[in-house]
Amino acid sequence: MKSYLIISAIFFYILTCQSQQSFTLKSAEDQTSIAYASISSEHTLLTTSDSLGKFTIQQEDLHLPITIKALGYKTLDSFSLDTKSPVIFLEAQAVTLDEVVLQQQKKEHTYKVGKVKNGDIGIVCRLQNNTIAQVAKVVKNEFSKATWIDQVKFKTLCTAENRIISLVLYAVNEQGQPGRILHTEKIIAQLKKGHHTYEIDLKHLQIPFPENGVFVALNYLFLEQNKAYSKTNPSWYHYEPSIDATSVDHYTDSWYKLKQHWQKSETYSLNMQLILSD
């Protein structure tokens, strides 16, 4: 029977009813909504904007200096929220690929790294302060001819429909940790109820496979639609999906992000497969 590894600083968090203030993120260029941005303060992730760019902040947190990060936009740092101005505008910023020239090429060979299988652990996110939002698997470049990242496969368990998760691919930096982001477009996966394998096609993004390898990160989105409430105590909840992983007794290839710092996992290896092509 599968057990569950709860990523949590506090295992039993009682949700209290507090007044909230709503805000909306929009692009300064064309007024479009900015979905799935992270809103944090002093290395603690407070919430995530939804598909319409909306997010809420607890009344007691309104005085905090806020950092807003969204892929493709300039980071808004040490920002003071104004309850009289509920719309926040971000300036667009391209994500550079270090002058890598992307060209459409005929892909003749594919290479598979890793396996997607049922795990003996399910990784979920249950936090009071939302300090952990990402788990990742590093894939080393062991193929001299592998040039492109074509597909990512992983397996999850959801107790309800309409769960979503986002993916981010990072190059490996000089310290062996996630570095620059390898794409400009958001990668969002909509998940079904039950235990399923997902194949995320990335061919159209033309993401090059770096010489030092890649980190494939799965990001929990702190949205109401991702909450799974306890049947015995409706005040307790965790964020889904449950990501299949395998128990280990030492570090192998998986990482998690704690308070903006990446750390190696000593207890699990994410069950994930990367498909590359030349």
Side-chain angles (χ1 to χ4, degrees):
M1 183 176 182
K2 183 186 295 186
S3 60
Y4 289 90
L5 179 63
I6 306 296
I7 303 177
S8 177
I10 298 178
F11 284 89
F12 300 101
Y13 171 51
I14 300 178
L15 182 65
T16 57
C17 295
Q18 302 177 25
S19 58
Q20 298 177 328
Q21 179 73 37
S22 296
F23 298 90
T24 302
L25 291 177
K26 290 189 175 183
S27 168
E29 282 67 31
D30 56 14
Q31 314 296 305
T32 56
S33 300
I34 301 175
Y36 312 124
S38 63
I39 296 89
S40 61
S41 179
E42 298 177 346
H43 305 307
T44 296
L45 186 62
L46 300 176
T47 187
T48 308
S49 64
D50 64 16
S51 59
L52 299 177
K54 298 182 182 296
F55 67 93
T56 57
I57 296 292
Q58 301 290 346
Q59 190 71 31
E60 63 180 17
D61 294 332
L62 290 174
H63 70 285
L64 297 174
I66 298 297
T67 297
I68 301 177
K69 293 184 179 181
L71 190 62
Y73 293 88
K74 293 181 180 179
T75 296
L76 199 58
D77 206 4
S78 298
F79 178 73
S80 297
L81 293 170
D82 184 354
T83 57
K84 297 180 181 179
S85 301
V87 179
I88 301 171
F89 295 97
L90 300 184
E91 296 181 22
Q93 182 180 52
V95 179
T96 63
L97 296 179
D98 290 352
E99 300 182 355
V100 174
V101 178
L102 301 182
Q103 299 178 352
Q104 186 66 37
Q105 299 182 4
K106 184 179 180 180
K107 301 173 182 179
E108 297 182 351
H109 302 94
T110 58
Y111 310 87
K112 296 181 180 180
V113 185
K115 294 182 179 181
V116 178
K117 58 183 179 179
N118 291 343
D120 61 348
I121 291 178
I123 309 298
V124 299
C125 185
R126 184 177 180 181
L127 292 169
Q128 178 179 3
N129 295 320
N130 298 345
T131 51
I132 298 174
Q134 292 181 305
V135 291
K137 188 183 186 78
V138 63
V139 178
K140 297 181 180 180
N141 191 339
E142 299 177 350
F143 306 96
S144 59
K145 295 183 179 181
T147 305
W148 307 99
I149 301 174
D150 281 2
Q151 195 175 79
V152 174
K153 293 184 180 182
F154 57 91
K155 198 161 192 172
T156 71
L157 173 65
C158 296
T159 60
E161 298 287 349
N162 202 32
R163 307 297 198 205
I164 57 174
I165 196 169
S166 69
L167 285 78
V168 177
L169 279 73
Y170 299 92
V172 180
N173 64 19
E174 294 179 354
Q175 292 73 41
Q177 299 179 356
R180 61 185 174 87
I181 297 175
L182 296 174
H183 51 96
T184 57
E185 296 184 29
K186 296 184 182 73
I187 305 174
I188 304 295
Q190 186 165 2
L191 311 176
K192 299 181 293 185
K193 180 179 179 180
H195 198 200
H196 300 282
T197 298
Y198 295 91
E199 301 178 359
I200 310 302
D201 193 353
L202 306 175
K203 295 185 182 69
H204 65 288
L205 298 179
Q206 291 186 261
I207 303 174
F209 188 45
E211 292 183 2
N212 293 336
V214 65
F215 275 92
V216 182
L218 298 176
N219 308 326
Y220 290 98
L221 301 179
F222 298 131
L223 304 175
E224 186 65 32
Q225 70 191 77
N226 286 340
K227 289 181 179 178
Y229 289 90
S230 169
K231 294 182 179 180
T232 57
N233 188 332
S235 296
W236 297 346
Y237 65 87
H238 64 266
Y239 291 95
E240 289 188 337
S242 167
I243 303 169
D244 279 52
T246 299
S247 300
V248 296
D249 55 11
H250 61 278
Y251 166 74
T252 55
D253 55 19
S254 296
W255 295 61
Y256 60 92
K257 198 172 187 179
L258 176 63
K259 295 184 177 180
Q260 303 302 309
H261 297 289
W262 285 100
Q263 298 184 24
K264 296 177 179 179
S265 171
E266 305 286 347
T267 57
Y268 62 84
S269 171
L270 296 173
N271 294 348
M272 194 180 291
Q273 185 178 75
L274 198 62
I275 298 179
L276 312 168
S277 64
D278 57 16

